[in-house]
Every structure is written in structure tokens, then in C-alpha cells.
Amino acid sequence: MDLQVRHLRVLCAIADSGSISKAAVTLKMSQPALTAQLRRIEQMFGDPLFDRGPEGARPTMLGEWLLVRSRSLVSAVDELERTARRYAPPQVETAPIRVGCAPTRLRIYLAKTLRRLLPGAEIRLLTEQTIDTLPGLLESERIELATLDDYPDHRLCAPPGAVYTAIAVEPLFVGLPAGHPLAEHEEVELRDLAEEDWALPTPLESGPREYFWNTCAAHGFAPRVAYGVNLEVGVDLVAEGRCVSLFQATVPAREGIAIRPLAGSPLRFRHLIGWTAPGPITAHADALVRALTTTYWTESQRAPAYRDWLERHGPLKRL
């Protein structure tokens, strides 16, 4: 271990406070961590630097010699830092970018894209279980950026002061227990699921709920929603063979679950991002949309069911 200025600051703090426990508070370290640090410093010099006892920590002769020189060195380094700051350009304070996210995989892709596009920005992500609150948060400027999704006949309109842009249209697939007879099919007809128990997220917004029920009705049945559960529980229920459920096409493979496309893509949704305008994203909006779109299609190839489907059908062009 090489001697560093921070080691000299440790010695000065222990000498000034008279005890390792008090120095640990000053240095915002735990006492065991500071004790271990002092032990390593003493090993460098080959002798104890402090006598430790019930009355505290007192410098040894070697410690006194080292402290005299340490204080002058620490003082010189502090003066060097103060002088350098006077010549450095002023630091521009930047506000954090607050991002509200719908519970879709787009939020994961957005986080990756923002880190690449704005490496110095402070990004704060908040995932909402439904998207109902996100437009209001954008309008009131409580967030600067959001991921959203909408559905046929339930299109979203940007609130005042916000801009929405579509990233991609994605089909919804069905998740079946791996041993289900329909799991042997390349694609599944929606009407063939009429007798199945379904697990769906709760709460589910009125738009996607009505869209799902109306689509099932158009295929001749009313879905039997036996489980209103969150995604994690729904995945377990499907894997246990109790029900089927809807899955995003971009979801990675799940053990015990066969994720299959629905023939004709009767269920689909649109990925959107929205931002306040003007706002911290406005200047980067075009670059963000391009980069996020690229990330979406790159990451989509990691989902086996979607990759195979895209090879057969190509991307969906419209909602």
C-alpha cells in the first residue's frame, strides 16, 4: 500500500480527537474500518503510531514525528486545492431528470439509452404500476420524461406542455404452461384460449382492459380472469400450470413457460415516450428518440419468441 494524503488525514483526525471512536465520527467511517485503516498505516511504517488505552489514543514518538510533517503536508494540499478551484471554470448546477415509467420493458431500454446519451446527468427513475398518473405528472412538471403505452381505440394525447413520440408497435403474446397442448404450436389462435383461466395485472387501466375484453369478444368468447395479480405472481401461476397470461413480445424466456405469438396479432400496443417542452430533454429529444428506437430493436432480438416472429412477419407498422 502506498502512502496517500488521506492516510495523513486519518492520523491527524485521531490525534486531534484523542480517540479512534471520535475520529471515526469525524471522518464518517465505522470504528472497525478506521481501526483497520490505522493498522495498515502502521504496517507501512513498521511500528505503532498511537498508544491505545482506556484514556484514548496518544501518539508514540514515531507518531509525533510523523504528525508534525503530516500537518504541513495536509495544509499544503488543502491550499493547493483551494487555489486550483479559483482558476477552474465555474460548475454549472444541473437539475436531475425525473423519469416516470410505465411497467413495460421500454423503461429498461430507456435507462440504458439515457446513460449513454447523457452520461453526466442525474437520472431518477420511478416505475408506476399504471400509466394513469404519468400524463398529469408531465403536465404539472413533476417529471421531465415518461415511458407510456397505448392501445387501438384508446390512443393517448399529450397534455399541455408535453410532447409524445412513438418508438414502436409491439404485439402481445400469450404465455402458456410449458406442458400445455397449445405450446406445441408455432402460433396460437386467440379463440382457442376461450376455456382457459387467465391471470391479468391488477389494477389494469380501463384502456387496455376494455381493449382485451373487446378483442376476446370479437373472437367469440369472454375471458375468464381467475387471477388478478401482479406480474411476478402471474408468472409463477402460469409456470405452475394454473392459467395463461398475456406477455410482452420483448419479454425474455421464462422457465416453465412457453411464450407464443397470437395468430394475426389481434392484440398489440404502442410504446411511447413523452417529455416536457421546453424542458431538459427538449434539446436531446431527436437524438433520444433515434437512440431509444435503435436500442429497442437491438434488445428485441434477445427475446427468442419475438426474434422468430420478426423473422417471419417483420415489425408491425401500425397500431
Side-chain angles (χ1 to χ4, degrees), residues 83-309:
T83 303
R85 281 196 291 270
R86 288 200 294 269
Y87 291 96
Q91 296 293 315
V92 178
E93 292 291 329
T94 57
I97 299 174
R98 298 164 297 181
V99 186
C101 301
T104 66
R105 293 192 61 78
L106 191 67
R107 72 187 188 278
I108 302 172
Y109 308 153
L110 179 63
K112 293 180 179 180
T113 303
L114 286 172
R115 284 196 293 269
R116 290 196 298 265
L117 188 64
L118 304 171
E122 179 185 355
I123 310 296
R124 297 180 184 175
L125 293 174
L126 171 66
T127 298
E128 297 285 344
Q129 291 306 305
T130 73
I131 66 167
D132 290 344
T133 59
L134 295 175
L137 293 175
L138 280 172
E139 185 175 3
S140 62
E141 298 184 359
R142 293 169 61 188
I143 58 175
E144 288 73 42
L145 181 63
T147 67
L148 310 106
D149 52 86
D150 64 3
Y151 299 78
D153 301 325
H154 297 278
R155 303 284 288 268
L156 292 179
C157 295
V163 176
Y164 286 177
T165 295
I167 299 299
V169 178
E170 183 175 319
L172 284 166
F173 289 177
V174 63
L176 305 157
H180 195 288
L182 292 175
E184 299 177 1
H185 295 201
E186 191 174 79
E187 296 187 347
V188 175
E189 294 285 347
L190 181 57
R191 63 175 175 269
D192 290 341
L193 301 168
E195 300 303 319
E196 301 292 338
D197 287 337
W198 289 81
L200 293 178
T202 181
L204 189 64
E205 302 100 321
S206 59
R209 183 174 60 247
E210 291 176 11
Y211 172 55
F212 173 64
W213 280 78
N214 290 341
T215 304
C216 290
H219 286 73
F221 71 99
R224 189 167 61 231
V225 180
Y227 304 97
V229 293
N230 62 29
L231 175 61
E232 291 76 15
V233 175
V235 168
D236 290 341
L237 291 172
V238 175
E240 291 171 5
R242 300 189 186 185
C243 58
V244 302
S245 187
L246 294 176
F247 283 77
Q248 294 177 46
T250 46
V251 74
R254 304 276 188 167
E255 186 175 356
I257 298 177
I259 299 174
R260 296 290 181 264
L262 293 168
S265 302
L267 294 165
R268 56 184 69 187
F269 70 103
R270 185 172 62 157
H271 288 291
L272 306 169
I273 60 170
W275 62 89
T276 54
I281 292 297
T282 304
H284 309 282
D286 290 344
L288 176 60
V289 170
R290 288 195 299 270
L292 182 56
T293 302
T294 299
T295 301
Y296 172 86
W297 290 114
T298 300
E299 293 291 332
S300 295
Q301 302 305 308
R302 301 180 186 274
Y306 197 24
R307 181 180 61 243
D308 295 344
W309 185 89

